[in-house]
Amino acid sequence: MINIIGQKVLVLDFGSQTTQLIARRVREARVYCEIYPYNISLEKVRAIGPNGIILSGGPASVYDKQAPAVSPELFELGIPILGICYGMQLTTHLLKGKVERSYHREYGPARLSIDDPDDIFYGLARDPVTYQVWMSHGDRIEALPKDFICIAHSETCPVAAMRHRRSPFYGVQFHPEVIHTEIGKDVLANFLFRVCGCQPTWDMYSFLQGATTEIKVKVGSGRLICALSGGVDSTVTALLINRAVGHQLTSIFVNNGLLRKNEAETVLAFLKQLDLKVHYVDAGNRFLSKLGGIEDPEKKRKIIGEEFIRVFEEEARRIGDVHFLAQGTLYPDVIESVSFKGPSSTIKSHHNVGGLPDIMQLELIEPLRELFKDEVRKVAVKLGMPEDLVFRHPFPGPGLAIRILGEVTAERLNVLREADAIVLQIMKSSGWYRKVWQAFAVLLPIRTVGVMGDERTYDNVVAIRVVDSLDAMTADWTRLPSDLLAKISNRIINEVRGVNRVCYDISSKPPATIEWE
Ligand code: XMP
């Protein structure tokens, strides 16, 4: 994207679980940064001309046969480099120091003593004061590379940090990006501002300016369409484009009949307030008839995905003369497909408008592809989106169809809608909605015996799923207070016809997933 500030830091990914965290911390310090796989070419690094490079951690040992490495010439470009954990060991190995091979890992908190409170440790206290840092490593430094000195140690790690005597090269054995490292922010800020000479100027205002200019340049006088779901990503995408080239954009909102109670009406009302040109398509019956008799989750997803493309394509052709398709792709999706680990294996096929650009020969516009979710939310607020919409929980493209186990019918959809509305209402009124990642109801296609008044009932079961998560990659079930759960259960059983039992899902991801299908 057009980086109007011009400053940028690269994070080279060696496969660490915390690579994304490094990038987030750098951006929190208001310096723009991007993640690249470790094997980025030197030409590309030169072309980007970053102000600094951070080498991430990773699971390998520098002695592994296939150990990921960069060219030693990276250290000849005159760019400041900070190696974290594996990044530090690799620096040592490449610059002819010695890494000691270890067969057990040091994992967890350690006390760091600083021997040289300057540069990356500027403002911190010298030994004997100690700081908590987070370690996660096997190998460690046995002999420093030529011209490097040790600048910090811990009880178990004699070289816990190092620096070059003259060049701006640093290494830390601990992880400054994790919150358990109490001086993590200081170390990264010192590297960015004191060593790399960056200014803390990256914020959502500069993003907005850059993105608006970029959209104008790329789109020219072309026409765009955007698939709007009412979720924060697609709505921000549409709003941004609207701001840049308003009259050239038409947003298409397809109601697939699998939305929550009153969702289409609420979303449309919001969008109207936001002054967007929205083309509404009520395609509920089409989707429902395609789903008739289908029980397999993957088949349901495929049918919904394909039908969506079909409806969308018809509407796009009706609008006519379209050149671009706007999508709310976020940075984690981009990294996932380019990172060291490669695309992760498909556990569930997630539906999006994939395939459409090729069929219709549309060019993709993805203005959010450099942002993390929390950054998108900040942009959303800046663009005047109402809080209710900004902090809505994620909702899957296939909607309630993957929360009704087994066949999706109009009757089941109605039962689930009512139960789900109660869950959301209680989560919101109790103040829990904003504290969790997602909260929803799932309808199970099994019936159990109950008693209501004096009568025997034989009705369905609803499961409640509420999870805490940072990025949906992992999740844990939320420990909701039992009286809140009791309230949810009582109201569902009393108010929703066809349900006589409520369960709470206490599985974490992995091994379960957030959605049930
Ligand atoms: P899982 O169930 O894989 O979900 O743990 C992770 C996150 O992704 C959402 N999700 C989807 N989002 N289309 C989407 O746009 C989909 O098909 C889809 N399936 C799951 C899910 O709600 C959770 O936030």
Side-chain angles (χ1 to χ4, degrees):
M1 85 162 233
I2 295 170
N3 185 5
I4 55 165
I5 289 136
Q7 292 189 333
K8 185 186 276 191
V9 165
L10 299 192
V11 178
L12 300 193
D13 180 23
F14 290 89
S16 168
Q17 302 284 339
T18 56
T19 301
Q20 279 201 37
L21 259 188
I22 302 174
R24 295 181 68 127
R25 297 287 175 253
V26 173
R27 289 197 191 180
E28 278 164 20
R30 299 182 54 203
V31 173
Y32 183 67
C33 80
E34 286 179 1
I35 300 174
Y36 284 87
Y38 71 93
N39 54 1
I40 180 177
S41 68
L42 285 176
E43 292 71 52
K44 180 130 193 213
V45 175
R46 277 195 205 96
I48 295 170
N51 296 65
I53 297 176
I54 299 179
L55 310 178
S56 85
S61 160
V62 291
Y63 294 116
D64 290 348
K65 255 199 198 133
Q66 309 264 317
V70 291
S71 157
E73 286 173 56
L74 192 72
F75 292 86
E76 290 163 21
L77 302 179
I79 302 170
I81 297 179
L82 170 66
I84 295 177
C85 196
Y86 179 79
M88 177 196 200
Q89 292 153 13
L90 185 65
T91 303
T92 304
H93 190 63
L94 292 174
L95 301 182
K96 308 277 182 270
K98 189 154 173 37
V99 175
E100 180 188 300
R101 179 134 211 181
S102 161
Y103 292 92
H104 25 241
R105 280 187 97 71
E106 180 185 7
Y107 182 82
R111 302 299 306 180
L112 184 84
S113 307
I114 296 173
D115 305 308
D116 183 8
D118 209 347
D119 300 335
I120 58 169
F121 293 134
Y122 178 80
L124 302 174
R126 190 188 287 275
D127 188 25
V129 174
T130 62
Y131 295 101
Q132 177 174 295
V133 293
W134 197 260
M135 295 282 193
S136 172
H137 63 108
D139 297 355
R140 57 185 198 174
I141 310 304
E142 185 177 331
L144 288 158
K146 186 164 174 283
D147 286 330
F148 273 76
I149 57 169
C150 171
I151 54 175
H153 65 275
S154 75
E155 262 186 14
T156 49
C157 191
V159 184
M162 64 181 194
R163 77 166 166 84
H164 194 278
R165 285 181 201 281
R166 293 173 302 279
S167 304
F169 303 144
Y170 298 81
V172 290
Q173 187 60 77
F174 59 89
H175 288 267
E177 69 277 18
V178 306
I179 43 168
H180 314 289
T181 297
E182 60 176 329
I183 55 166
K185 262 191 180 163
D186 305 85
V187 171
L188 287 174
N190 281 333
F191 176 69
L192 297 170
F193 305 131
R194 299 186 72 79
V195 177
C196 303
C198 294
Q199 299 288 322
T201 42
W202 158 257
D203 61 11
M204 290 308 114
Y205 175 73
S206 52
F207 166 79
L208 271 178
Q209 282 184 302
T212 310
T213 314
E214 186 177 25
I215 293 166
K216 278 188 183 149
V217 171
K218 192 158 176 195
V219 168
S221 58
R223 291 180 58 86
L224 305 99
I225 46 169
C226 175
L228 206 61
S229 67
V232 65
D233 306 342
S234 64
T235 311
V236 169
T237 302
L239 284 177
L240 255 178
I241 294 173
N242 199 36
R243 194 178 128 114
V245 290
H247 58 285
Q248 290 154 247
L249 169 74
T250 307
S251 301
I252 303 176
F253 178 37
V254 178
N255 183 349
N256 57 11
L258 306 167
L259 304 177
R260 299 178 135 163
K261 189 175 178 183
N262 296 332
E263 190 167 13
E265 295 80 357
T266 319
V267 168
L268 280 176
F270 272 142
L271 298 177
K272 205 165 169 191
Q273 266 178 37
L274 298 173
D275 223 14
L276 276 178
K277 189 159 64 173
V278 183
H279 183 78
Y280 175 68
V281 193
D282 187 352
N285 290 337
R286 272 180 78 157
F287 281 83
L288 207 56
S289 66
K290 289 266 167 188
L291 286 169
I294 308 293
E295 294 191 350
D296 179 72
E298 275 304 282
K299 274 199 192 133
K300 285 194 213 169
R301 281 172 179 275
K302 291 249 154 59
I303 288 171
I304 296 165
E306 278 164 26
E307 196 58 17
F308 182 84
I309 291 179
R310 217 159 287 145
V311 174
F312 195 79
E313 193 190 358
E314 283 169 24
E315 297 305 320
R317 290 207 199 283
R318 218 179 300 240
I319 292 163
D321 196 26
V322 177
H323 309 96
F324 299 94
L325 173 73
Q327 266 191 182
T329 314
L330 301 193
Y331 198 41
D333 309 322
V334 177
I335 306 167
E336 190 72 6
S337 57
V338 299
S339 83
F340 166 75
K341 287 161 276 182
S344 61
S345 61
T346 307
I347 297 172
K348 299 173 184 180
S349 44
H350 280 201
H351 127 100
N352 55 26
V353 279
L356 199 68
D358 291 343
I359 301 168
M360 296 191 60
Q361 296 174 339
L362 294 177
E363 203 177 320
L364 271 181
I365 297 269
E366 299 172 309
L368 308 181
R369 58 182 284 119
E370 270 114 23
L371 299 192
F372 289 109
K373 188 86 177 185
D374 54 328
E375 293 177 316
V376 174
R377 289 197 163 125
K378 284 185 192 149
V379 176
V381 172
K382 277 217 173 324
L383 290 170
M385 240 161 102
E387 278 224 344
D388 246 23
L389 197 49
V390 175
F391 293 99
R392 262 161 59 119
H393 290 170
F395 186 68
L400 299 183
I402 56 167
R403 295 179 181 170
I404 291 174
L405 274 56
E407 191 188 355
V408 181
T409 63
E411 194 194 343
R412 287 180 167 173
L413 276 166
N414 281 337
V415 172
L416 181 58
R417 276 197 187 106
E418 295 303 323
D420 186 68
I422 292 174
V423 175
L424 290 190
Q425 197 191 7
I426 296 178
M427 289 297 287
K428 284 182 182 167
S429 63
S430 63
W432 273 89
Y433 185 84
R434 286 280 291 273
K435 294 187 204 159
V436 305
W437 175 266
Q438 260 172 304
F440 55 89
V442 178
L443 183 67
L444 310 192
I446 45 166
R447 294 200 289 166
T448 69
V449 173
V451 53
M452 227 182 226
D454 290 329
E455 273 185 45
R456 176 185 189 272
T457 57
Y458 188 47
D459 276 335
N460 285 108
V461 182
V462 160
I464 308 297
R465 183 77 164 138
V466 185
V467 294
D468 300 317
S469 174
L470 282 177
D471 51 12
M473 302 296 285
T474 60
D476 197 7
W477 59 279
T478 305
R479 272 58 169 176
L480 283 184
S482 50
D483 51 352
L484 197 73
L485 286 169
K487 200 165 164 185
I488 294 175
S489 161
N490 283 341
R491 280 203 48 200
I492 292 178
I493 293 172
N494 284 325
E495 293 174 33
V496 184
R497 277 182 78 105
V499 178
N500 67 356
R501 199 173 290 269
V502 171
C503 299
Y504 191 54
D505 180 349
I506 54 168
S507 338
S508 61
K509 170 183 180 177
T513 53
I514 295 178
E515 303 289 346
W516 276 43
E517 285 198 338

